[in-house]
Amino acid sequence: MTYTAPERIRPPFTADERDQLSGWLDMQRNIIHFKCAGLSEEAARRSVIPTSPLMTVAGVVAHLRWVEHAWFEVMFLGGSEKENPSFLDDPEDADMRPAADVPLEQLLEEYQAQCARSNEIAAAASLDDTGRRADFKAGQASLRWMLVHMIEETARHAGHLDLIRELLDGETGYF
């Protein structure tokens, strides 16, 4: 794989709230890329957790791409969830089932593009603005809440990738 992971940079210690939130989220997003660097296609799709067979590197990256879309484009902006497999009931966990012919590098590029779109949406709004999807309880949360949630969601899956990567090839490292 020729893909190069973006640099992992912590936000400044004295940054304002918006820069702290976006900085920590971007760092967690970049850790996702870091955990994927150097993996073969076969390894990216290998299941190593018997109780969670869909939790592969490729599956986690695909899931995170759709989570970004769900929170920023659907919940916050009020867009349609129809193209987003994370909203589908059938098959279960559809967003963790990337097409076999989509290379990991493409999944990472799609994730990076979705994160850039999410950053554009967040930058254009107040942290106090609320989502436009009243049909979902969390769709009415503030942008601040959604950013904190996305830090939590992304960091949680970065931890999953830590373990998956170690089980795949022994690679460890955070920063």
Side-chain angles (χ1 to χ4, degrees):
M1 184 163 140
T2 60
Y3 184 82
T4 302
E7 193 174 358
R8 298 167 312 282
I9 301 171
R10 289 185 170 127
F13 294 128
T14 58
D16 64 20
E17 180 183 20
R18 179 180 289 277
D19 289 342
Q20 290 283 344
L21 292 171
S22 62
W24 282 108
L25 180 52
D26 282 342
M27 189 179 110
Q28 293 305 314
R29 290 166 170 160
N30 292 345
I31 288 170
I32 299 301
H33 291 271
F34 170 67
K35 298 313 286 183
C36 297
L39 273 181
S40 69
E41 288 299 321
E42 187 274 327
R45 293 170 191 287
R46 186 181 318 141
S47 177
V48 293
I49 304 172
T51 56
S52 298
L54 296 179
M55 193 164 293
T56 64
V57 170
V60 170
V61 173
H63 168 73
L64 284 169
R65 180 257 196 257
W66 289 111
V67 168
E68 290 277 343
H69 177 267
W71 280 103
F72 293 100
E73 293 197 48
V74 178
M75 296 295 195
F76 188 71
L77 290 183
S80 173
E81 72 276 6
K82 297 206 184 320
E83 72 179 76
N84 190 324
S86 69
F87 281 90
L88 302 175
D89 293 329
D90 190 33
E92 185 177 355
D93 297 321
D95 63 338
M96 290 192 91
R97 300 170 190 256
D101 62 341
V102 178
L104 178 60
E105 186 168 347
Q106 181 179 337
L107 291 172
L108 287 164
E109 289 168 355
E110 290 172 2
Y111 174 54
Q112 191 168 34
Q114 189 65 54
C115 291
R117 174 71 179 127
S118 298
N119 282 346
E120 290 171 5
I121 292 166
S126 165
L127 293 175
D128 294 322
D129 288 348
T130 57
R132 298 182 186 145
R133 287 300 297 258
D135 52 328
F136 292 94
K137 186 177 180 181
Q140 301 170 58
S142 70
L143 176 59
R144 177 183 289 102
W145 187 96
M146 290 182 189
L147 287 167
V148 170
H149 171 68
M150 287 304 300
I151 294 167
E152 176 271 331
E153 174 87 10
T154 308
R156 179 172 175 246
H157 289 305
H160 292 139
L161 290 180
D162 283 336
L163 295 172
I164 293 169
R165 186 66 191 257
E166 186 172 355
L167 290 170
L168 285 170
D169 61 10
E171 285 293 318
T172 61
Y174 167 74
F175 201 77

